[in-house]
Amino acid sequence: QVQLVESGGGLVQAGDSLRLSCAASGRTFGSYVMGWFRQAPGKEREFVVAINWSGGTTRYADSVKGRFSISRDNAKNTVYLQMNSLKPEDTAVYYCAADSRVSVNYGFNFPASYAYWGQGTQVTVSS
């Protein structure tokens, strides 16, 4: 069982930066693929980025490539999402997700691939 708690969301202006954190419980955090998804009002939850257990492999949605960066610290059971050059279209609730069975080679971009989810943190980018 893994519990995930996101933090770091807020209201910023276009062009600003934010860093989201996702703290995980459980001794097996290092074996989990971690993902970030987001959901805007009236839209489906969409994939943002995923990272493998070691942090050596990452996958990004095209919409955030070059602006967002994911990293993880397995000693702290925490994954981070650094978001730069934020745009109004980045406004959404951001969710952290984890699963030990998902692969960063396939299935990583589908919400159904992840068994564990955080409660979400709101990111609002004003123009």
Side-chain angles (χ1 to χ4, degrees):
Q1 191 77 7
V2 175
Q3 292 185 327
L4 305 173
V5 179
E6 302 98 333
S7 61
L11 171 62
V12 297
Q13 294 186 333
D16 286 350
S17 298
L18 274 178
R19 189 176 82 155
L20 305 184
S21 298
C22 173
S25 65
R27 295 177 294 176
T28 57
F29 173 79
S31 66
Y32 284 75
V33 168
M34 303 297 297
W36 285 96
F37 289 76
R38 65 187 182 186
Q39 189 166 18
K43 295 188 177 181
E44 293 186 353
R45 192 166 297 190
E46 67 171 0
F47 169 75
V48 177
V49 60
I51 188 169
N52 75 332
W53 67 273
S54 69
T57 301
T58 56
R59 305 296 188 209
Y60 290 89
D62 288 342
S63 58
V64 306
K65 279 181 182 177
R67 301 189 298 122
F68 290 14
S69 177
I70 189 171
S71 61
R72 66 189 296 164
D73 186 338
N74 288 341
K76 296 183 177 179
N77 280 14
T78 302
V79 64
Y80 305 97
L81 180 62
Q82 178 66 42
M83 305 186 296
N84 300 326
S85 303
L86 282 161
K87 304 176 181 180
E89 51 264 44
D90 294 319
T91 295
V93 178
Y94 283 71
Y95 296 92
C96 177
D99 202 289
S100 61
R101 299 162 298 175
V102 68
S103 167
V104 290
N105 295 313
Y106 57 88
F108 58 87
N109 54 331
F110 293 103
S113 297
Y114 297 82
Y116 304 105
W117 291 85
Q119 82 288 350
T121 185
Q122 177 71 47
V123 172
T124 303
V125 184
S126 64
S127 58

